[in-house]
Amino acid sequence: MKRIGIQERRARLAVRHHLGAAAAADPVEAVRGVAALHSTDPASVFLSVRARAAGATPDTIERALYDDRSLVRMLGMRRTMFVVPVELAPVIQAGCTQAIAVTQRKRYSQLLEAAAVGDGAFLKEVEDATAVALAGLGEATGAQLSAAEPRLRTQIEMAPGKSYGGKQNITTWVLFMLAADGRIVRGRPRGTWASSQWTWSPVETWFPAGLPELPAEAARAELVRAWLAAFGPGTVADLRWWTGWTASHVKRALADVDAVEVDLDGGTGVVLPGDDEPTPEPEPWVALLPALDPTPMGWSERSWYLGPHSAPLFDRSGNIGPTVWSDGRIVGGWAQRADGEIAYRLLEDVGAEKEAAVASMAGDLAQWIGPVRVTPRFRTPLERDLAS
């Protein structure tokens, strides 16, 4: 096996993820470089693109998302929200989302039956009626759809007798199922680019003929190909974690793309065929990446770029906060304060020149964000400390 060491992996990370001097030409190229952007926290999408695409602004990112529709927001790997290039959406739908939809439909149907409100057939009727209402409106919020289809306001008692229980409308369930089945899409939110108050559109707004259907096995192979192109080399464990698949699904997909084993300093990794040649060493660089950025969340084994900094930068569920990077490794964290200032803390000595570059970048980021306030959905110890 060929050896791919840590320095090579860090060089690949910079070049393929469009960090430092390897900036992407536009938001779509930036997203393709990392396969998919985490979108659980809407602001992360904008900040992740801003870190990678030369001259990107909130307006140009919104244009790609909602006007050009070259990017689309969807549920995907590990039941997580992502923003992906439109050509990858059918792959993720067939390789990940369809299986999630089956499981979630069963759960919702059981909850409806337990509450003596309805069953799976009732849920499907409300979904179909909601889809018809949305087609007539063209674009709508959940509240607007509830006015058009009153059954969306059907209430379910959740966790009866528990302190955290209470009544819940089925609006969210129905919209989740319609999106997971590839029938509707989250569109431009109400409010700023950091908002998650989505409007919804029929899927035909992005895909005029509907979301293309693919065989699940072929889709899994294509998704592995995209991951290896962006994150390879990685381990089988990395790939299982990122996709959320079973071991057998990962093994079959790796075989389908003819993945090649490489030596990761004593461990075994995989790359695409022919993708084991050295990467030219990139110029020195620094970057401020947001919470849940796809680069630090791309692998499950992170020691080669994270070092000893896990405790202050991750929450207890494994979600990473905002990070400071230098030449392919994490060296600190940052946060936005209430007055808009970007505060940062370096967790190791990077030298005066690099620290000056980080300080300059923090000032530029504060200006770019402007009046918007960014608080990560999953807060981490260092981020909380810096933001206070």
Side-chain angles (χ1 to χ4, degrees):
M1 291 187 290
K2 281 194 175 182
R3 174 183 173 272
I4 296 182
I6 289 177
Q7 285 304 114
E8 166 65 14
R9 297 184 77 181
R10 290 174 178 170
R12 286 179 175 226
L13 180 155
V15 172
R16 300 186 184 201
H17 293 194
H18 298 295
L19 296 170
D26 55 53
V28 178
E29 185 181 6
V31 179
R32 286 179 179 143
V34 290
L37 297 179
H38 284 257
S39 183
T40 304
D41 200 332
S44 291
V45 171
F46 287 78
L47 298 177
S48 290
V49 171
R50 185 257 176 195
R52 293 172 167 86
T57 66
D59 286 344
T60 61
I61 299 168
E62 286 188 319
R63 189 178 307 126
L65 273 165
Y66 310 124
D67 299 326
D68 301 338
R69 301 189 183 101
S70 48
L71 300 171
V72 62
R73 181 176 277 106
M74 67 182 298
L75 185 74
M77 297 69 73
R78 306 187 312 281
R79 200 178 178 275
T80 297
M81 290 299 304
F82 289 90
V83 163
V84 305
V86 289
E87 69 270 13
L88 196 61
V91 171
I92 294 175
Q93 178 69 25
C96 301
T97 316
Q98 285 177 356
I100 296 169
V102 170
T103 300
Q104 202 64 23
R105 181 175 297 283
K106 182 178 179 180
R107 176 175 180 268
Y108 287 154
S109 298
Q110 290 172 341
L111 289 171
L112 287 167
E113 291 178 10
V117 169
D119 54 16
F122 169 77
L123 179 62
K124 188 65 167 60
E125 287 177 13
V126 179
E127 289 174 40
D128 291 342
T130 302
V132 170
L134 182 58
L137 293 168
E139 180 181 88
T141 63
Q144 290 168 331
L145 288 168
S146 294
E149 173 43 68
R151 286 178 294 179
L152 286 172
R153 296 196 292 268
T154 301
Q155 292 193 327
I156 301 293
E157 182 75 29
M158 299 297 293
K162 303 291 185 180
S163 60
Y164 53 82
K167 291 186 176 180
Q168 176 182 330
N169 290 353
I170 67 169
T171 306
T172 302
W173 298 5
V174 171
L175 294 176
F176 179 97
M177 289 309 311
L178 286 170
D181 283 339
R183 300 175 67 183
I184 67 174
V185 174
R186 293 164 180 81
R188 191 187 300 270
R190 298 296 176 93
T192 71
W193 48 265
S195 170
S196 58
Q197 299 177 21
W198 309 115
T199 58
W200 296 86
S201 299
V203 72
E204 288 80 11
T205 307
W206 266 258
F207 301 91
L211 195 62
E213 295 184 7
L214 299 174
E217 286 187 354
R220 286 192 288 266
E222 284 305 306
L223 190 55
V224 163
R225 196 185 308 278
W227 184 84
L228 286 173
F231 297 97
T235 66
V236 172
D238 291 331
L239 189 48
R240 282 196 65 189
W241 177 83
W242 190 83
T243 58
W245 293 341
T246 65
S248 61
H249 283 160
V250 170
K251 181 179 179 180
R252 171 63 187 269
L254 286 170
D256 286 344
V257 300
D258 297 321
V260 176
E261 291 188 343
V262 293
D263 173 22
L264 301 182
D265 291 328
T268 301
V270 286
V271 294
L272 289 172
D275 190 27
D276 52 7
E277 295 302 316
T279 300
E281 187 69 22
E283 296 178 12
W285 61 277
V286 296
L288 302 183
L289 299 185
L292 296 176
D293 185 85
T295 295
M297 295 294 287
W299 299 268
S300 60
E301 201 295 300
R302 301 166 174 141
S303 62
W304 59 276
Y305 61 85
L306 178 60
H309 306 314
S310 176
L313 296 174
F314 283 81
D315 72 4
R316 293 181 179 179
S317 299
N319 301 299
I320 197 167
T323 50
V324 180
W325 288 69
S326 174
D327 298 335
R329 59 195 179 91
I330 295 174
V331 297
W334 64 272
Q336 185 188 40
R337 291 180 171 159
D339 63 359
E341 177 192 1
I342 301 298
Y344 66 89
R345 181 178 302 161
L346 296 176
L347 300 175
E348 57 185 78
D349 184 7
V350 296
E353 186 175 348
K354 284 289 182 66
E355 184 164 359
V358 171
S360 176
M361 190 167 288
D364 291 344
L365 180 58
Q367 290 188 342
W368 193 91
I369 294 175
V372 174
R373 293 296 173 263
V374 176
T375 302
R377 183 163 298 184
F378 304 108
R379 306 196 70 182
T380 52
L382 182 56
E383 186 276 329
R384 284 183 180 276
D385 188 28
L386 290 173
S388 62

